[in-house]
Amino acid sequence: MRKEVWFGLTIMAAVVLAAFILLPSPSMMSNGHLGLLMLALVVVAIMLGFPTAFTLMGMGMVFAWIAYRSQNPGLAVQQTLDLMVQRTYSVMSNDVLISIPLFVFMGYLIERANLIEKLFKSMHLATARVPGSLAVATIITCAIFATATGIVGAVVTLMGLLALPAMLRAGYSVQLSAGAITAGGCLGILIPPSVMLIVYGATAGVSVVKLYAGAFFPGLMLAGLYIVYVIVLAKLKPSLAPPMSAQERHVPLPAFAEIVSSTISKRVLPGLMGAIKGKRNAAVPMRTLLNHLFIALLPALAVVLIMGTVFLKVTAPVEPEVPEGVVAMGSAALGTVGEETADAGGLQEPEPESGLQEPPSDEATQAPAASVAAETEAVKPGALIVAEPVAASERVPAPASFWIGLVSCAVALALFYAIFSFARLEIFKMLLGSFFPLAIMILAVLGTIVFGLATPTEAAAMGSMGGLVLAAAYRRLNLGVLKESVYLTAKTSAMVCWLFVGSSIFSAAFALLGGQEIINTWVLSMDMTPVQFMILAQVVIFLLGWPLEWTEIIVIFMPIFIPLLPHFGIDPLFFGLLVALNLQTAFLSPPVAMAAFYLKGVSPPHVTLNQIFAGMLPFMAIQVFAIILLYQFPAIGLWLPQLLYK
């Protein structure tokens, strides 16, 4: 047996021995104390490197057998096996989890479409005049690419191969370069479509659709804070991020642009429209002018399309409520009284079938039975009740926030076209070939989810198809790429699904032993305010991010925190957004800072791990500041879900 395994078993035995010394004597120790011991052993085993999913399953089954054996030794084995089967089936029957392999497959395909190199070059030119332009372009590229893939390791590795050598050649600080790459690459677990949000939604029973809508602006806020930090640092200390020279910023213009800019105007819209209207330049074909005018108007058309869609959504008429028990006559409203309707379109995890509770007493079942009998007597089965015809609702007025957003977009467009020169038009054309195909696919996937046109699973299927189309369009789709993407998708999805199974068995055993009840009693006995509880929870999650990864924190500790939220009146959606921001630290905090190890694996030999860790620390401080901002201004995360879903 390997030395590491013996060392791990020795440490776990020491923890068990210490627990029996510190905890009450066996005669006084309850099952709840065994639950806390199980939680401590799982954390120690994971920190020692044991596989998380199988550690959770193994610990859960062993301690569930101990709990059942204390009640009925003869049935302990059978009850433990039943619990394992019930929990596994409950997890695997959750429709939301289908979207995980589809989103992962989409990410691997886009990663292999070789878009990131073109995207980084065009972003670098677009931000050439900004202080710290290379680091800014790196963060923007990471944010866009992380949104498309959601795979932190892939983004950090690719940007380490592409951006790190470019920044080091330009004289950038090693710490700043490493921090920009690792922090930007981790944005994929926050900005939708994020696998982490799907895992949290399934664990906490929160709508994934609302989580996606709520995480959009916090993700952009965090990326914006990174960019502001880089710009301020480059302005105060230019030696850490030297500016680009004028020669490096020069963009060669095509012949028609040279003619139009020198004879009419250097700005795109006045120049092209003047050339089309006056026909002063016979050397410039009209078709070329019209094509470039259409390209120049694409940002305005995109804003009109997006704001028009938002307007239709926010002014949609409110559906009239049909009284309970009334069935309206119509093509889709004919039925019998007593039929149950499905809720939420399968976007939330179904209620788990624990099988651990005692059957209800006879008195508890007689009252519902009597009420059902009375309702059945009042309305016989199969009887139809025709509702009064309801007049069609008119559209509701658009809220003030929509008009503020519309005016802001109009002002931004006016400023954009005021500085839109022919040199910037060439950069914009480069972005069209790298960024906009990716952006259109991302917006299509997110738009169909956020606006309720498709469930996350359906949108993920369309995203996978979009990934295939993009890879084929850039001539990167072949049998080898497809086989590798399918293999990596199966590997990642299997890890997530086994984590869910292990977490479900572990949480069932933890609840069976009474560990959750002990924690609830302890927290409630402190008589904390909601603010104090929120601070305590976020501090605990922040500290857990140092030794553990986000998957382990979500599947192990979220089931402990979630039951306490109703007592303090905290919205699970808002709590999830804070947790999503907080879990950014799990990839940046040593010793288990996976982003640092991804970057170290592809960095030059002179770049040390300590330099990478030092570069990540300022960005961790920015993450903490972002959490404080979101807590102080909840509308950053809750405004969009409230606007779209009223």
Side-chain angles (χ1 to χ4, degrees), residues 94 132 137 151 155 175 186 229 232 261 270 284 300 320 349 420-421 482 505 523 534 559 620 646:
N94 188 359
I151 305 164
V155 177
Q175 288 85 350
C186 295
Y229 166 73
V232 171
S261 61
V284 181
E349 185 181 14
F420 196 34
S421 63
L482 193 61
I505 296 174
V523 172
M534 187 75 80
M620 284 185 61
K646 297 181 177 63

Side-chain angles (χ1 to χ4, degrees), residues 314-335:
V314 299
T315 61
V318 180
E319 293 295 332
E321 295 184 0
V322 180
E324 187 177 357
V326 175
V327 182
M329 295 290 290
S331 58
L334 190 62

Side-chain angles (χ1 to χ4, degrees), residues 439-463:
I440 290 172
M441 192 194 74
I442 295 170
L443 289 176
V445 171
L446 291 181
T448 53
I449 295 175
V450 171
F451 289 110
L453 302 177
T455 64
T457 302
E458 295 165 346
M462 294 304 298

